mmCIF file of all heavy atoms in Angstrom:
data_model
loop_
_atom_site.group_PDB
_atom_site.id
_atom_site.type_symbol
_atom_site.label_atom_id
_atom_site.label_comp_id
_atom_site.label_asym_id
_atom_site.label_seq_id
_atom_site.Cartn_x
_atom_site.Cartn_y
_atom_site.Cartn_z
ATOM 1 N N TYR A 165 15.696 36.379 4.044
ATOM 2 C CA TYR A 165 15.183 35.504 3.015
ATOM 3 C C TYR A 165 13.826 36.008 2.530
ATOM 4 O O TYR A 165 12.907 36.543 3.255
ATOM 5 C CB TYR A 165 14.981 34.143 3.521
ATOM 6 C CG TYR A 165 16.241 33.398 3.828
ATOM 7 C CD1 TYR A 165 16.268 32.325 4.666
ATOM 8 C CD2 TYR A 165 17.372 33.725 3.062
ATOM 9 C CE1 TYR A 165 17.496 31.508 4.938
ATOM 10 C CE2 TYR A 165 18.583 33.025 3.321
ATOM 11 C CZ TYR A 165 18.651 31.908 4.188
ATOM 12 O OH TYR A 165 19.723 31.239 4.422
ATOM 13 N N VAL A 166 13.471 35.693 1.299
ATOM 14 C CA VAL A 166 12.123 35.892 0.543
ATOM 15 C C VAL A 166 11.754 34.426 0.339
ATOM 16 O O VAL A 166 12.308 33.501 0.033
ATOM 17 C CB VAL A 166 12.409 36.516 -0.853
ATOM 18 C CG1 VAL A 166 11.257 36.439 -1.681
ATOM 19 C CG2 VAL A 166 12.993 38.044 -0.651
ATOM 20 N N LEU A 167 10.339 34.337 0.530
ATOM 21 C CA LEU A 167 9.772 33.055 0.501
ATOM 22 C C LEU A 167 9.941 32.389 -0.887
ATOM 23 O O LEU A 167 9.480 32.922 -1.957
ATOM 24 C CB LEU A 167 8.126 33.223 0.760
ATOM 25 C CG LEU A 167 7.371 31.988 0.840
ATOM 26 C CD1 LEU A 167 7.791 31.165 2.085
ATOM 27 C CD2 LEU A 167 5.776 32.257 0.837
ATOM 28 N N ASP A 168 10.545 31.185 -0.776
ATOM 29 C CA ASP A 168 10.873 30.457 -2.065
ATOM 30 C C ASP A 168 11.267 29.084 -1.663
ATOM 31 O O ASP A 168 12.089 28.885 -0.791
ATOM 32 C CB ASP A 168 11.938 31.262 -2.743
ATOM 33 C CG ASP A 168 12.053 30.990 -4.236
ATOM 34 O OD1 ASP A 168 11.064 30.521 -4.790
ATOM 35 O OD2 ASP A 168 13.128 31.233 -4.789
ATOM 36 N N MET A 169 10.755 28.003 -2.351
ATOM 37 C CA MET A 169 11.206 26.591 -2.250
ATOM 38 C C MET A 169 12.245 26.392 -3.409
ATOM 39 O O MET A 169 11.932 26.726 -4.526
ATOM 40 C CB MET A 169 10.141 25.686 -2.215
ATOM 41 C CG MET A 169 10.530 24.267 -2.237
ATOM 42 S SD MET A 169 9.087 23.075 -2.079
ATOM 43 C CE MET A 169 9.941 21.591 -2.071
ATOM 44 N N HIS A 170 13.386 25.713 -3.067
ATOM 45 C CA HIS A 170 14.372 25.401 -4.098
ATOM 46 C C HIS A 170 14.529 23.936 -4.293
ATOM 47 O O HIS A 170 14.737 23.148 -3.298
ATOM 48 C CB HIS A 170 15.758 25.993 -3.633
ATOM 49 C CG HIS A 170 15.994 27.385 -3.754
ATOM 50 N ND1 HIS A 170 17.211 28.008 -3.449
ATOM 51 C CD2 HIS A 170 15.071 28.315 -4.022
ATOM 52 C CE1 HIS A 170 17.022 29.347 -3.643
ATOM 53 N NE2 HIS A 170 15.792 29.542 -3.933
ATOM 54 N N ILE A 171 14.136 23.507 -5.436
ATOM 55 C CA ILE A 171 14.325 22.105 -5.796
ATOM 56 C C ILE A 171 15.288 21.876 -7.149
ATOM 57 O O ILE A 171 15.515 23.114 -7.753
ATOM 58 C CB ILE A 171 13.067 21.364 -6.104
ATOM 59 C CG1 ILE A 171 12.350 22.117 -7.306
ATOM 60 C CG2 ILE A 171 12.154 21.425 -4.862
ATOM 61 C CD1 ILE A 171 10.989 21.360 -7.760
ATOM 62 N N ASP A 172 15.759 20.856 -7.376
ATOM 63 C CA ASP A 172 16.779 20.704 -8.701
ATOM 64 C C ASP A 172 15.767 20.306 -9.785
ATOM 65 O O ASP A 172 14.529 20.148 -9.759
ATOM 66 C CB ASP A 172 17.887 19.896 -8.267
ATOM 67 C CG ASP A 172 17.697 18.343 -8.213
ATOM 68 O OD1 ASP A 172 16.613 17.966 -8.582
ATOM 69 O OD2 ASP A 172 18.597 17.618 -7.822
ATOM 70 N N THR A 173 16.523 20.142 -10.937
ATOM 71 C CA THR A 173 15.850 19.860 -12.242
ATOM 72 C C THR A 173 15.196 18.448 -12.293
ATOM 73 O O THR A 173 14.134 18.162 -12.803
ATOM 74 C CB THR A 173 16.742 20.012 -13.387
ATOM 75 O OG1 THR A 173 18.010 19.453 -13.028
ATOM 76 C CG2 THR A 173 16.983 21.580 -13.723
ATOM 77 N N ASP A 174 15.910 17.393 -11.608
ATOM 78 C CA ASP A 174 15.332 16.043 -11.482
ATOM 79 C C ASP A 174 13.942 16.182 -10.634
ATOM 80 O O ASP A 174 12.977 15.557 -11.165
ATOM 81 C CB ASP A 174 16.244 15.165 -10.816
ATOM 82 C CG ASP A 174 17.311 14.688 -11.580
ATOM 83 O OD1 ASP A 174 17.270 14.761 -12.911
ATOM 84 O OD2 ASP A 174 18.371 14.127 -11.109
ATOM 85 N N GLU A 175 13.967 16.809 -9.555
ATOM 86 C CA GLU A 175 12.725 16.910 -8.865
ATOM 87 C C GLU A 175 11.530 17.735 -9.605
ATOM 88 O O GLU A 175 10.483 17.171 -9.498
ATOM 89 C CB GLU A 175 13.069 17.708 -7.476
ATOM 90 C CG GLU A 175 14.038 16.833 -6.566
ATOM 91 C CD GLU A 175 14.555 17.547 -5.387
ATOM 92 O OE1 GLU A 175 14.881 18.800 -5.557
ATOM 93 O OE2 GLU A 175 14.610 16.854 -4.330
ATOM 94 N N ALA A 176 12.013 18.759 -10.242
ATOM 95 C CA ALA A 176 11.050 19.603 -11.109
ATOM 96 C C ALA A 176 10.522 18.623 -12.183
ATOM 97 O O ALA A 176 9.285 18.528 -12.468
ATOM 98 C CB ALA A 176 11.640 20.633 -11.601
ATOM 99 N N ASN A 177 11.285 17.877 -12.845
ATOM 100 C CA ASN A 177 11.001 16.992 -13.953
ATOM 101 C C ASN A 177 10.153 15.794 -13.560
ATOM 102 O O ASN A 177 9.180 15.384 -14.218
ATOM 103 C CB ASN A 177 12.219 16.600 -14.818
ATOM 104 C CG ASN A 177 12.742 17.657 -15.553
ATOM 105 O OD1 ASN A 177 12.241 18.707 -15.851
ATOM 106 N ND2 ASN A 177 14.066 17.468 -15.858
ATOM 107 N N ALA A 178 10.397 15.359 -12.412
ATOM 108 C CA ALA A 178 9.680 14.185 -11.985
ATOM 109 C C ALA A 178 8.234 14.543 -11.743
ATOM 110 O O ALA A 178 7.177 13.801 -11.900
ATOM 111 C CB ALA A 178 10.201 13.601 -10.653
ATOM 112 N N ALA A 179 7.993 15.753 -11.389
ATOM 113 C CA ALA A 179 6.532 16.317 -10.981
ATOM 114 C C ALA A 179 6.051 17.104 -12.197
ATOM 115 O O ALA A 179 4.988 17.559 -12.108
ATOM 116 C CB ALA A 179 6.576 17.144 -9.799
ATOM 117 N N ASP A 180 6.813 17.206 -13.281
ATOM 118 C CA ASP A 180 6.363 18.070 -14.603
ATOM 119 C C ASP A 180 6.070 19.438 -14.136
ATOM 120 O O ASP A 180 5.208 19.981 -14.577
ATOM 121 C CB ASP A 180 5.123 17.263 -15.034
ATOM 122 C CG ASP A 180 5.206 17.327 -16.696
ATOM 123 O OD1 ASP A 180 6.289 17.085 -17.187
ATOM 124 O OD2 ASP A 180 4.094 17.543 -17.255
ATOM 125 N N LEU A 181 7.096 19.986 -13.276
ATOM 126 C CA LEU A 181 6.866 21.235 -12.807
ATOM 127 C C LEU A 181 7.338 22.372 -13.894
ATOM 128 O O LEU A 181 8.383 22.043 -14.467
ATOM 129 C CB LEU A 181 7.458 21.681 -11.488
ATOM 130 C CG LEU A 181 6.772 20.927 -10.278
ATOM 131 C CD1 LEU A 181 7.669 21.198 -9.034
ATOM 132 C CD2 LEU A 181 5.368 21.261 -10.153
ATOM 133 N N LYS A 182 6.749 23.502 -13.917
ATOM 134 C CA LYS A 182 7.287 24.532 -14.813
ATOM 135 C C LYS A 182 7.613 25.798 -14.082
ATOM 136 O O LYS A 182 7.056 25.881 -12.886
ATOM 137 C CB LYS A 182 6.097 24.952 -15.727
ATOM 138 C CG LYS A 182 5.499 23.747 -16.496
ATOM 139 C CD LYS A 182 6.377 23.166 -17.643
ATOM 140 C CE LYS A 182 5.563 22.173 -18.460
ATOM 141 N NZ LYS A 182 5.157 20.963 -17.749
ATOM 142 N N PRO A 183 8.411 26.675 -14.484
ATOM 143 C CA PRO A 183 8.741 27.860 -13.723
ATOM 144 C C PRO A 183 7.293 28.542 -13.471
ATOM 145 O O PRO A 183 6.513 28.645 -14.213
ATOM 146 C CB PRO A 183 9.624 28.771 -14.767
ATOM 147 C CG PRO A 183 10.203 27.724 -15.666
ATOM 148 C CD PRO A 183 9.234 26.562 -15.752
ATOM 149 N N GLY A 184 7.199 29.028 -12.193
ATOM 150 C CA GLY A 184 6.072 29.815 -11.757
ATOM 151 C C GLY A 184 5.158 28.960 -10.964
ATOM 152 O O GLY A 184 4.198 29.469 -10.469
ATOM 153 N N ASP A 185 5.347 27.569 -11.069
ATOM 154 C CA ASP A 185 4.499 26.740 -10.254
ATOM 155 C C ASP A 185 4.824 26.906 -8.725
ATOM 156 O O ASP A 185 5.602 27.550 -8.305
ATOM 157 C CB ASP A 185 4.726 25.241 -10.582
ATOM 158 C CG ASP A 185 4.025 24.838 -11.820
ATOM 159 O OD1 ASP A 185 3.273 25.562 -12.333
ATOM 160 O OD2 ASP A 185 4.358 23.812 -12.548
ATOM 161 N N THR A 186 3.743 26.538 -7.889
ATOM 162 C CA THR A 186 3.725 26.697 -6.387
ATOM 163 C C THR A 186 3.475 25.326 -5.870
ATOM 164 O O THR A 186 3.087 24.382 -6.462
ATOM 165 C CB THR A 186 2.784 27.643 -5.922
ATOM 166 O OG1 THR A 186 1.431 27.147 -6.324
ATOM 167 C CG2 THR A 186 2.929 29.012 -6.603
ATOM 168 N N GLY A 187 3.725 25.214 -4.545
ATOM 169 C CA GLY A 187 3.615 23.990 -3.797
ATOM 170 C C GLY A 187 2.675 24.338 -2.474
ATOM 171 O O GLY A 187 2.680 25.451 -2.064
ATOM 172 N N LEU A 188 2.089 23.265 -2.040
ATOM 173 C CA LEU A 188 1.269 23.418 -0.833
ATOM 174 C C LEU A 188 2.047 22.977 0.418
ATOM 175 O O LEU A 188 2.404 21.798 0.424
ATOM 176 C CB LEU A 188 -0.047 22.652 -0.981
ATOM 177 C CG LEU A 188 -1.022 22.560 0.180
ATOM 178 C CD1 LEU A 188 -1.517 23.978 0.529
ATOM 179 C CD2 LEU A 188 -2.059 21.650 -0.051
ATOM 180 N N LEU A 189 2.265 23.857 1.327
ATOM 181 C CA LEU A 189 3.007 23.466 2.570
ATOM 182 C C LEU A 189 2.203 22.636 3.405
ATOM 183 O O LEU A 189 1.076 22.999 3.770
ATOM 184 C CB LEU A 189 3.565 24.574 3.234
ATOM 185 C CG LEU A 189 4.541 24.364 4.370
ATOM 186 C CD1 LEU A 189 5.700 25.488 4.382
ATOM 187 C CD2 LEU A 189 3.893 24.278 5.752
ATOM 188 N N ILE A 190 2.585 21.399 3.873
ATOM 189 C CA ILE A 190 1.902 20.573 4.793
ATOM 190 C C ILE A 190 2.860 20.288 6.017
ATOM 191 O O ILE A 190 3.987 19.877 5.834
ATOM 192 C CB ILE A 190 1.603 19.154 4.098
ATOM 193 C CG1 ILE A 190 0.809 19.408 2.910
ATOM 194 C CG2 ILE A 190 0.871 18.275 5.050
ATOM 195 C CD1 ILE A 190 0.734 18.126 1.939
ATOM 196 N N LYS A 191 2.322 20.545 7.156
ATOM 197 C CA LYS A 191 3.160 20.543 8.357
ATOM 198 C C LYS A 191 3.315 19.193 8.851
ATOM 199 O O LYS A 191 2.497 18.323 8.721
ATOM 200 C CB LYS A 191 2.545 21.331 9.525
ATOM 201 C CG LYS A 191 2.966 22.733 9.394
ATOM 202 C CD LYS A 191 2.798 23.600 10.710
ATOM 203 C CE LYS A 191 1.430 23.921 10.841
ATOM 204 N NZ LYS A 191 1.221 24.602 12.103
ATOM 205 N N GLY A 192 4.559 18.816 9.412
ATOM 206 C CA GLY A 192 4.760 17.584 9.976
ATOM 207 C C GLY A 192 4.919 16.527 9.026
ATOM 208 O O GLY A 192 4.723 16.629 7.748
ATOM 209 N N PRO A 193 5.449 15.324 9.425
ATOM 210 C CA PRO A 193 5.211 14.095 8.502
ATOM 211 C C PRO A 193 4.049 13.341 9.186
ATOM 212 O O PRO A 193 3.526 12.248 8.670
ATOM 213 C CB PRO A 193 6.531 13.348 8.704
ATOM 214 C CG PRO A 193 7.079 13.777 10.088
ATOM 215 C CD PRO A 193 6.558 15.079 10.448
ATOM 216 N N ALA A 194 3.499 13.844 10.228
ATOM 217 C CA ALA A 194 2.466 12.986 10.951
ATOM 218 C C ALA A 194 1.251 12.896 10.215
ATOM 219 O O ALA A 194 0.326 12.117 10.580
ATOM 220 C CB ALA A 194 2.231 13.890 12.285
ATOM 221 N N THR A 195 0.862 13.753 9.235
ATOM 222 C CA THR A 195 -0.410 13.541 8.510
ATOM 223 C C THR A 195 -0.416 12.450 7.509
ATOM 224 O O THR A 195 -1.429 12.120 7.085
ATOM 225 C CB THR A 195 -0.652 14.924 7.655
ATOM 226 O OG1 THR A 195 0.506 15.280 7.018
ATOM 227 C CG2 THR A 195 -1.140 15.945 8.654
ATOM 228 N N VAL A 196 0.784 11.776 7.229
ATOM 229 C CA VAL A 196 0.753 10.702 6.278
ATOM 230 C C VAL A 196 1.136 9.442 7.171
ATOM 231 O O VAL A 196 1.950 9.399 8.003
ATOM 232 C CB VAL A 196 1.791 10.794 5.220
ATOM 233 C CG1 VAL A 196 1.954 9.456 4.505
ATOM 234 C CG2 VAL A 196 1.405 11.861 4.353
#
Side-chain angles (χ1 to χ4, degrees):
Chain A
Y165 289 158
V166 167
L167 184 64
D168 203 18
M169 177 173 177
H170 287 187
I171 61 174
D172 77 9
T173 45
D174 283 342
E175 293 170 322
N177 288 339
D180 218 40
L181 292 179
K182 310 285 188 298
D185 282 347
T186 63
L188 176 66
L189 189 143
I190 301 170
K191 275 197 282 182
T195 45
V196 171

